Amino acid sequence: MATFPSARYYRDTYRNWAQIFKIMSVLWLVLAIFMTLPLLVLVIEKDPDAPAFAVSLLIILSATLTTWGLTRHVSLELKPWQMFILTAGSWTSISCFASLPLILGAPQLSFTNAVFESVSAITTTGSTVLVGIENLSDGLKLWRGLMQWMGGIGIIVMGIAILPFLKVGGMRLFHTESSDWSDKVMPRTGGIAKATLSIYVILTLAAMLSYWLGGMLPLDAIVHGMTSLATGGFANSDASFGAYAEQPWLLWMGSFFMLSGALPFVLYIRFIRSSRSALWKDQQVCGLLKLLLAAIVILSAWRVFQGDNWFVSLTHVTFNVVSVVTTTGYASDDYTLWGTLPIAAFFYLTFIGGCSGSTSGGMKIFRFQIAMLMLLNQLRYLIHSNGIFTTRYNQQPVTSDISRSVVAFSFFFFITIAVLALGLAALGLDLVTALSGAATAVANVGPGLGDTIGPSGNFATLPDAAKWLLCVGMLMGRLEILTVVVLMTPMFWRR
């Protein structure tokens, strides 16, 4: 005899999903507020793109008000399984809503291209399908920068406030019982988020002012300031940062602000509030700086031995290495023309990423460090089979659940790249384009390798199916892989 769910089951189901959509409606409202800024610019300039933004704004506000009206009486008591759905759903829906002006605006992109561009922006990947960016309206240029800037702060808040409680992501290191750094900095996660936003805004304004004083036009300074701190990489020129290749001081400024966005924002708070040595003593930061220094020295020496000027070489190598490692994706030069060693080096650097709790993508430097510590411990066990060894990171023991998380993430990270690369190859892309495209999407870097999607190319000529695969890769990489993978398991839905 068949049994039917009770009325309580339906009430609970409605309440659970209503809680998710209630929070999502607030995030859509934030998106709508940011969309008013380029709309105002377009209205003031009497640009024909203004109606596209106005219609997009009305669509988002309608969805927001409708959803809020249906869920406003629901109290918020989110469970971990709801946070998985909220995290994936909010980033996906925001990316779709953010694409509306690109569909309705002057570029009149296809639905696929518009979604690709917005997903790339919101996830701060920096891959683009646009050609002739210099000719876009000021409002659209500003919107591309704003999307990446919103994505950048969203990444930090997600990394600090959400992922630790889902037991994925690097900030778990700061939320173990023995080492809750966040509680030592400020009493509540809300306080951390506010302090993080303040620092993010201050650094962004500092970048904008520096670029403007360095010679950029005001709009270029604003957009590059936002995309530098977001480690996103969208620029106002098809040449990316190469438009300023003859102004080395701007390249050095860009390197500094990209690196600033790739450091843990929790440590900025500690640096300001209590410990002046917080940044320099952190194992993550030290590891990242040592890696950057080694890569810069080796590749600069390579270019000098090829006959290039040492200062020009150092400037461009520093900028492009910092850009790739921090997953920003700016390019001041086509580094695939530097020779075989730089091509291989930049491909390896694509996977690394910045620090946990930053705007960077990639695997994050701490995972490589913990993997190395685990390897050294295993070697010790082989030599001293009865020994007892404790793995410590930043003077704190690395617990077994963190080790498991690192191993699981690393496995799924490379499996995701491998599957995406196979899918892209099946669609007719050559091996270099397929492999580097999959890697740059999952690592949220931006440019790949080869003539098509390399630093001097873009993703416009790829087939639509390839762009959708890359969109999935960008979202999975931004959401730390496991947040999405768990939604694909039957046991999650049978909870």
Side-chain angles (χ1 to χ4, degrees):
M1 181 177 178
T3 59
F4 297 96
S6 64
R8 180 179 179 181
Y9 169 82
Y10 289 110
R11 285 198 305 270
D12 289 345
T13 301
Y14 167 77
R15 184 169 61 250
N16 289 335
W17 284 93
Q19 291 172 351
I20 295 170
F21 278 96
K22 184 176 182 178
I23 296 177
M24 287 174 61
S25 68
V26 175
L27 298 176
W28 299 342
L29 178 61
V30 173
L31 178 71
I33 292 171
F34 275 98
M35 193 175 284
T36 59
L37 298 177
L39 176 59
L40 288 174
V41 171
L42 293 169
V43 169
I44 292 171
E45 295 182 350
K46 298 181 180 179
D47 194 283
D49 283 352
F53 276 87
V55 173
S56 302
L57 187 60
L58 287 175
I59 293 173
I60 297 172
L61 287 176
S62 298
T64 299
L65 294 175
T66 301
T67 304
W68 178 262
L70 294 173
T71 60
R72 68 183 186 278
H73 296 304
V74 178
S75 59
L76 295 178
E77 297 176 2
L78 288 179
K79 304 177 183 68
W81 71 266
Q82 292 171 292
M83 294 176 72
F84 279 103
I85 298 174
L86 172 63
T87 303
S90 59
W91 284 76
T92 303
S93 61
I94 287 173
S95 296
C96 291
F97 279 134
S99 70
L100 291 175
L102 301 176
I103 298 173
L104 304 174
Q108 293 181 340
L109 299 179
S110 66
F111 179 71
T112 297
N113 283 343
V115 172
F116 180 92
E117 191 78 8
S118 65
V119 169
S120 177
I122 296 296
T123 60
T124 70
T125 302
S127 304
T128 185
V129 295
L130 292 175
V131 179
I133 298 173
E134 299 91 341
N135 301 321
L136 295 178
S137 64
D138 290 346
L140 278 173
K141 290 178 182 177
L142 180 60
W143 182 234
R144 294 174 81 240
L146 281 169
M147 285 192 290
Q148 289 207 325
W149 194 81
M150 286 186 290
I153 188 61
I155 291 159
I156 303 171
V157 172
M158 180 184 70
I160 293 174
I162 298 176
L163 293 182
F165 300 103
L166 302 184
K167 298 186 177 181
V168 297
M171 292 302 288
R172 289 225 63 216
L173 285 170
F174 310 138
H175 284 265
T176 58
E177 292 180 0
S178 59
S179 177
D180 195 341
W181 288 17
S182 299
D183 284 346
K184 293 179 182 179
V185 177
M186 303 187 90
R188 288 188 295 271
T189 302
I192 303 170
K194 291 177 183 177
T196 300
L197 177 60
S198 299
I199 293 170
Y200 189 63
V201 170
I202 290 170
L203 287 174
T204 302
L205 292 175
M208 292 176 180
L209 180 61
S210 299
Y211 288 148
W212 179 60
L213 294 176
M216 283 190 184
L217 296 173
L219 180 62
D220 291 346
I222 290 171
V223 172
H224 286 87
M226 290 189 289
T227 58
S228 294
L229 260 297
T231 60
F234 272 172
N236 284 350
S237 169
D238 286 346
S240 187
F241 229 91
Y244 306 100
E246 302 303 320
Q247 298 167 277
W249 56 89
L250 286 175
L251 299 183
W252 285 104
M253 288 179 192
S255 301
F256 173 79
F257 288 113
M258 287 187 289
L259 181 58
S260 299
L263 299 182
F265 276 66
V266 167
L267 294 185
Y268 284 132
I269 301 172
R270 293 190 68 193
F271 177 82
I272 294 171
R273 292 178 62 88
S274 58
S275 175
R276 293 291 183 244
S277 60
L279 282 170
W280 320 122
K281 289 185 178 180
D282 182 76
Q283 204 163 331
Q284 251 197 128
V285 175
C286 291
L288 177 62
L289 294 178
K290 289 176 182 177
L291 171 73
L292 290 173
L293 180 61
I296 289 169
V297 169
I298 293 171
L299 293 181
S300 295
W302 170 273
R303 289 200 61 182
V304 170
F305 288 145
Q306 300 296 315
D308 295 330
N309 176 274
W310 73 269
F311 181 73
V312 172
S313 300
L314 180 63
T315 300
H316 285 281
V317 167
T318 299
F319 182 86
N320 288 283
V321 166
V322 172
S323 176
V324 171
V325 171
T326 62
T327 71
T328 305
Y330 286 142
S332 66
D333 194 11
D334 188 352
Y335 45 76
T336 61
L337 302 178
W338 294 356
T340 53
L341 175 65
I343 291 175
F346 277 108
F347 179 70
Y348 293 147
L349 294 174
T350 296
F351 298 97
I352 294 172
C355 298
S356 181
S358 72
T359 62
S360 291
M363 287 190 67
K364 306 293 193 304
I365 192 71
F366 86 94
R367 289 192 174 96
F368 291 94
Q369 293 174 313
I370 289 182
M372 183 59 67
L373 292 174
M374 293 167 61
L375 174 61
L376 292 175
N377 254 8
Q378 185 60 31
L379 294 176
R380 293 191 187 102
Y381 280 122
L382 292 175
I383 299 172
H384 306 287
S385 56
N386 296 322
I388 299 176
F389 308 102
T390 301
T391 302
R392 303 183 74 83
Y393 188 81
N394 274 335
Q395 290 78 51
Q396 299 293 339
V398 177
T399 58
S400 59
D401 59 339
I402 291 175
S403 299
R404 287 196 303 269
S405 176
V406 169
V407 172
F409 175 88
S410 302
F411 174 78
F412 280 108
F413 185 87
F414 287 108
I415 285 292
T416 303
I417 291 175
V419 172
L420 280 179
L422 282 175
L424 294 172
L427 294 171
L429 275 63
D430 63 88
L431 178 61
V432 172
T433 302
L435 186 56
S436 66
T440 195
V442 177
N444 302 124
V445 174
L449 298 175
D451 296 332
T452 305
I453 61 172
S456 60
N458 69 16
F459 291 70
T461 59
L462 298 186
D464 284 355
K467 292 169 186 170
W468 284 110
L469 281 177
L470 292 173
C471 284
V472 173
M474 288 186 281
L475 285 168
M476 290 186 69
R478 190 73 281 168
L479 299 179
E480 296 277 313
I481 307 291
L482 296 176
T483 309
V484 179
V485 171
V486 73
L487 294 176
M488 302 176 184
T489 60
M491 58 183 170
F492 175 84
W493 300 101
R494 291 197 306 263
R495 62 192 179 280

